[in-house]
Amino acid sequence: MIGLLIPGFPIIIRGPIMTSNVVVDINNPKNINNISMFLTEPISPDCGAALYYSAPPFQTAQFLGYVCNNAPSNIFYTGWSSDPSVNKYQSIKLGIKLETIKNIEDAFEEKIKFQINKEFGKKIAKNLYNYLDSFSNNEDHNNKLLYVPVNSFLNWYNKFLNKYNIDQNFLMKDDDS
């Protein structure tokens, strides 16, 4: 048996989980930042219970996390409040699927790669913003405009590539370093 604890919802118990099983419709997903999932009894030792969510039109499912006998409970951060592919909907679906540990590990690795790429993208945008902000003495304070030289993007891009060629992880280092 599997249990879910979602803030603002009663505890949900389902099971036994044998195949893909839609657990619950979630209303106002933008208000849910965390979901806890737990086992109420052991499952097959070579399997785990994977938690997925699906937004309309419900054609694909995104991996959130999993529990297994070695880790019988977990809390998953959803990110739905800041994800426009989810928070624009009034309702989404949660599903639990019993899968082999190998399949779950593959799904988990894919999720981690996506999160790393997303964080890298944020760091690039922050780096560009900081570079453009260095032109703040060229501001029109009345209209809240920033004037930058035409070649500033090219200059930033070249500096960015040079730093990246020296150290591919320069963006991921602390701002203080």
Side-chain angles (χ1 to χ4, degrees), residues 29-30 93 102 163:
K30 65 184 171 194
K93 295 185 183 297
K102 172 69 174 124
K163 286 182 182 179

Side-chain angles (χ1 to χ4, degrees), residues 79-99:
W80 296 337
S81 62
S82 60
D83 184 350
S85 70
V86 176
N87 66 21
K88 65 183 176 183
Y89 295 109
Q90 290 299 312
S91 179
I92 63 170
K93 295 185 183 297
L94 285 180
I96 296 176
K97 185 175 182 183
L98 196 61
E99 297 185 57

Side-chain angles (χ1 to χ4, degrees), residues 12-39:
I12 301 162
I13 304 289
R14 295 287 193 264
I17 304 295
M18 300 297 180
T19 60
S20 184
N21 183 8
V22 174
V23 174
V24 67
D25 289 327
I26 301 294
N27 293 323
N28 299 316
K30 65 184 171 194
N31 297 329
I32 299 170
N33 291 316
N34 296 294
I35 295 176
S36 180
M37 186 164 85
F38 54 93
L39 296 176

Side-chain angles (χ1 to χ4, degrees), residues 62-75:
Q62 302 296 316
F63 179 77
L64 270 177
Y66 71 99
V67 293
C68 62
N69 292 337
N70 293 338
S73 66
N74 210 334
I75 299 171

